[in-house]
Amino acid sequence: MLPRINPLRLLLLGAPGSGKGTQTKKLKKLLPNILAISSGDLLREQVTKRTKLGKEVLQYIERGELVPDGLISRFVTAQLLKTKSESAQEQVQWLLDGFPRNLDQARSFQNTLRVLNMPLSNVIELKVPKSRILERLASRYIHEASGRTYNLSYNPPKTPGVDDLTGDPLVKRVDDSQVGVITRRLDDYDKFITPLRNYYNELGILSTVSGDTSDEIFPQILQVLNLNAAPAST
Ligand code: AMP
C-alpha cells in the first residue's frame, strides 16, 4: 500500500455528468473537514444571487461555454485564500471539482499553488461511458437556491418534482436543457482533457478511475487515496 498522502489536495477531472459532485459528497462524508469547491456550483450561486460576477458569467453558462480563464482562476484562488487565513496552511485539505478545465488554467493554477506553498497531492480523472453521461444529464434536476442535485433514476427526490428539504420546485440546469448546449460542453471536455491529462501525468500525480456508476467508482478513489470507507473520527 502507498503511504497516505497528507494533506489531501485533490482535483477531480471528468466530463459533465461523470459524477464529480456525487464523488465529492461521498468524500465529504468520510472527511468532513475537507473544503470542497465546485467551480460550477460557485458560479451558479453567483448567478442565483444576481451578483456582478453572476451577471457576467450567465451568458457563458447558458451557452455551455467556459468562462474566461483569468476570471475563473482568480475566483477559485480567492476561495482557497479565504481558507488560508482561516486555518493553518499546512492543514488545509481541499478538493476541487470542475477546475482547472484546460491547460492554461492548470498551468496558472500550478504557479499559484507554488506561491502559496500548497502543492497538489492527487489528480483523479473519472471516466464514464458517454451513453451513461447522456442519460444522467437528461435526468438531472437541481434545487436552484441551494444547488442540491437529484437524479430521477438513482437519486430521486422523496416527493416527485420538489426539493426534499424546502419543498421548492426542482428545475433543470439551464445548461442541461438543450441538446446543442450539452453537446458543446461534452465536445469541449473532449478537446481539453488530453493536454490536461498529459500535464498532470507528467507531474506524476494523475490516476484514472472508471465505471458505469458512482458506486463502482468510489472504491477506486478510496484506493487511490489510500483511505478507508469508515467515516473519519475527527
Ligand atoms: P459545471 O457545473 O462544472 O458543469 O460548470 C458549469 C459551467 O460553469 C460551465 O459550463 C462553465 O460555463 C462554467 N465553469 C465552471 N468551471 C469552469 C472552469 N474551470 N473554467 C471555465 N468555466 C467554468
Side-chain angles (χ1 to χ4, degrees), residues 16 39-41 43-44 60-61 64-67 72 97-101 105 173 175 185:
S39 52
D41 282 354
L43 291 177
R44 277 185 293 279
Y60 294 98
I61 295 179
E65 288 172 7
L66 294 184
V67 310
I72 190 73
D97 142 11
F99 177 88
R101 277 289 228 281
Q105 291 182 11
R173 267 174 54 167
D175 52 354
R185 289 161 61 216

Side-chain angles (χ1 to χ4, degrees), residues 65-85:
E65 288 172 7
L66 294 184
V67 310
D69 291 339
L71 188 154
I72 190 73
S73 297
R74 282 192 299 277
F75 185 57
V76 171
T77 302
Q79 305 300 317
L80 292 180
L81 287 175
K82 255 192 214 169
T83 69
K84 195 181 166 192
S85 56

Side-chain angles (χ1 to χ4, degrees), residues 93-144:
Q93 304 206 87
W94 42 254
L95 101 78
L96 289 184
D97 142 11
F99 177 88
R101 277 289 228 281
N102 60 31
L103 189 57
D104 283 347
Q105 291 182 11
R107 285 198 176 123
S108 110
F109 191 48
Q110 205 54 15
N111 286 336
T112 303
L113 294 180
R114 203 170 296 127
V115 172
L116 296 174
N117 195 22
M118 284 179 155
L120 287 174
S121 61
N122 302 82
V123 178
I124 302 184
E125 181 189 354
L126 277 52
K127 279 194 172 172
V128 176
K130 195 161 263 178
S131 54
R132 298 310 300 253
I133 282 180
L134 291 171
E135 279 166 27
R136 285 185 196 176
L137 293 178
S139 51
R140 175 158 79 178
Y141 283 79
I142 60 164
H143 175 239
E144 204 166 21

Side-chain angles (χ1 to χ4, degrees), residues 1-5 122 207 223-227:
M1 281 276 225
L2 291 169
R4 164 101 174 255
I5 300 158
N122 302 82
S207 310
Q223 197 173 15
V224 168
L225 302 178
N226 199 17
L227 288 169

